[in-house]
Amino acid sequence: MNIESLRKKLVLAFIVIGLLLGIYEVNKPGPLVVEEMGNGYNGDLTVKLEIKPKGNGIKIIGVDITHQDTPPIANPAIETLKAHILKNQNAEFDAVSGATYTSEGVREATAKALEKVKH
């Protein structure tokens, strides 16, 4: 076997490996997105959780919250709640002072979304 033949086989092997990795990435399941609603101060709010499997459980990797509540009050509270949900991976948190209804709506919707994933 000469060096040119060996080089061609190595290049072919790398191409095949690259193709196989590409096929794996395309077919790899993405995160599950679960959406639920809760009651905020000015009506419904929506919590959308991005979840991926982790061991025997799940991991929340993203939180998106849309609402109709008063932005100067609700927006800072929502950022605090999103950070809590991502850090603690649950819907167990105290209401943010001044944004009680918003907090309770986020808690309600997050708990419903997590319950939906468990079943």
Side-chain angles (χ1 to χ4, degrees), residues 83-105:
H84 173 85
I85 293 166
L86 287 170
K87 179 181 177 193
N88 297 303
Q89 298 290 301
N90 63 42
E92 299 167 13
F93 48 80
D94 293 331
V96 175
S97 180
T100 303
Y101 292 111
T102 302
S103 300
E104 290 173 352

Side-chain angles (χ1 to χ4, degrees), residues 29-96:
L32 172 66
V33 177
V34 182
E35 187 174 315
E36 277 295 337
M37 296 179 76
N39 296 313
Y41 184 73
N42 286 329
D44 291 337
L45 56 78
T46 304
V47 173
K48 198 180 294 186
L49 301 179
E50 249 186 290
I51 297 172
K52 71 176 187 176
K54 182 180 180 186
N56 289 334
I58 59 167
K59 179 174 175 77
I60 301 169
I61 59 171
V63 180
D64 185 43
I65 301 170
T66 56
H67 65 91
Q68 302 168 17
D69 295 348
T70 311
I73 296 168
N75 289 349
I78 284 177
E79 291 307 311
T80 300
L81 297 172
K82 285 165 66 172
H84 173 85
I85 293 166
L86 287 170
K87 179 181 177 193
N88 297 303
Q89 298 290 301
N90 63 42
E92 299 167 13
F93 48 80
D94 293 331
V96 175

